[in-house]
Amino acid sequence: MLLESYFGPPVYTRHLGTVSAQVYQSEDTYRVFIVGETVASFLGISTSLEDCKEEIRCLESLVESDVFQREVAKHR
């Protein structure tokens, strides 16, 4: 993927339904992206991998919520 050409391989990946959250390290910072089949979206930057993982856990809770699942079902 294009992100790997800039940052190298992700240091952490978590699958969230049809997309994945990926964390890339660049010097002393970590960058979090949501990555789909054809698009990636930058979510933020942190100096702590654990902070990135916590942010991803929050996203995972959202993806697994009933409200989110109902909204996704409306658009299928």
Side-chain angles (χ1 to χ4, degrees):
M1 159 140 236
L2 188 57
L3 291 172
E4 289 186 27
S5 66
Y6 287 111
F7 303 115
V11 294
Y12 181 79
T13 299
R14 182 79 179 191
H15 295 285
L16 305 171
T18 60
V19 299
S20 64
Q22 297 179 354
V23 180
Y24 293 87
Q25 186 176 9
S26 179
E27 296 181 16
D28 295 332
T29 60
Y30 297 90
R31 290 172 170 78
V32 182
F33 292 85
I34 293 293
V35 180
E37 243 181 76
T38 59
V39 69
S41 181
F42 175 69
L43 294 181
I45 192 168
S46 177
T47 57
S48 166
L49 179 58
E50 287 308 311
D51 287 350
C52 295
K53 289 179 179 180
E54 179 60 29
E55 187 69 26
I56 292 168
R57 282 190 287 274
C58 291
L59 287 171
E60 185 174 33
S61 294
L62 172 66
V63 168
E64 293 174 351
S65 72
D66 291 337
V67 172
F68 185 85
Q69 292 300 321
R70 281 193 301 270
E71 286 301 312
V72 168
K74 288 180 186 178
H75 301 284
R76 285 188 180 172

